Amino acid sequence: MKIKTLEDARDFVKEVKICTIFPSDKVLYTSLYENVDLPEKQPGESGWGERMEAVWPWKNQLPSDYPNEIYYGKIKGGFAVLMDMDFLEQTHFPASYKSVSSLNQLARQIFEKIRVEPWTTPDLRNEIIHETGCSKSQFDTALKNLQISLNVVRACDAEQDTWLSFEEVYSDIWNKYISDES
């Protein structure tokens, strides 16, 4: 499939079920980037090149424009992926979900904030670093682990990263697999 438009990218994700945003030898999945049929940055060219200038916004725009069809998240290893919603529900969630109680204290603290109200990344990071004294790296790792374990998700907003609980955004999937953990 030759991907040149956002609609082509949508069709690609629906066809392959799951793909990373960028290629890596550490995952078995193909990437959106390597399947986009636009030129890479040429020597002497300024900017990112057409391919990167397409893929970078598409990673946010696909779940924003097609929220019932395309999911953006992270998988084991911290790789950003796009996936078909049916694949998320039928395959990925049951195989990858981990209770927030199985994560470290910092991740649990971050989750509690997100569970109560939506937070943007900078506001949440500043609040957590102020409250806990953790480093930016520790915060980033804990937030990534919350995504991998399917406890938090980015809101389907192409403009900024706002965090919500997975249960709130995808209650149908959550309720299908998770009984009350309280």
Side-chain angles (χ1 to χ4, degrees):
M1 174 179 270
K2 299 294 183 188
I3 303 170
K4 292 182 183 256
T5 67
L6 181 70
E7 293 75 22
D8 292 343
R10 174 205 162 269
D11 293 344
F12 173 75
V13 173
K14 299 285 287 172
E15 181 180 311
V16 299
K17 306 297 181 205
I18 182 172
C19 66
T20 57
I21 309 301
F22 300 106
S24 172
D25 294 338
K26 297 179 180 179
V27 294
L28 299 174
Y29 307 118
T30 189
S31 75
L32 178 61
Y33 184 84
E34 63 194 336
N35 286 281
V36 169
D37 189 21
L38 294 170
E40 293 192 54
K41 182 177 177 180
Q42 302 302 309
E45 181 182 4
S46 64
W48 284 353
E50 283 185 68
R51 186 184 296 188
M52 181 65 86
E53 286 182 7
V55 171
W56 189 254
W58 287 352
K59 72 179 176 50
N60 296 334
Q61 196 173 353
L62 283 163
S64 177
D65 288 4
Y66 305 102
N68 298 319
E69 298 178 54
I70 306 291
Y71 171 81
Y72 168 87
K74 298 268 174 109
I75 59 170
K76 189 174 181 178
F79 297 96
V81 295
L82 294 165
M83 69 179 75
D84 173 76
M85 276 301 193
D86 290 336
F87 182 84
L88 171 66
E89 179 177 349
Q90 297 164 12
T91 304
H92 185 69
F93 187 88
S96 302
Y97 169 76
K98 293 196 179 357
S99 170
V100 73
S101 65
S102 71
L103 302 177
N104 71 20
Q105 178 64 30
L106 182 59
R108 292 192 305 267
Q109 286 177 269
I110 293 168
F111 176 76
E112 281 307 310
K113 293 231 177 258
I114 294 168
R115 189 181 63 75
V116 172
E117 64 181 311
W119 285 80
T120 64
T121 304
D123 291 342
L124 180 61
R125 181 186 302 119
N126 291 339
E127 181 75 13
I128 292 293
I129 288 173
H130 175 76
E131 284 182 7
T132 68
C134 72
S135 68
K136 179 185 180 300
S137 175
Q138 289 169 319
F139 170 86
D140 291 343
T141 297
L143 185 59
K144 178 176 58 181
N145 287 334
L146 284 164
Q147 292 172 76
I148 292 167
S149 63
L150 299 165
N151 284 285
V152 301
V153 295
R154 230 180 49 200
C156 293
D157 179 347
E159 298 303 313
Q160 67 177 347
D161 288 346
T162 300
W163 299 100
L164 303 163
S165 73
F166 187 98
E167 178 181 12
E168 179 181 345
V169 178
Y170 301 108
S171 59
D172 54 335
I173 296 172
W174 184 270
N175 292 331
K176 181 175 179 178
Y177 294 102
I178 307 300
S179 61
D180 186 21
E181 294 186 347
S182 304

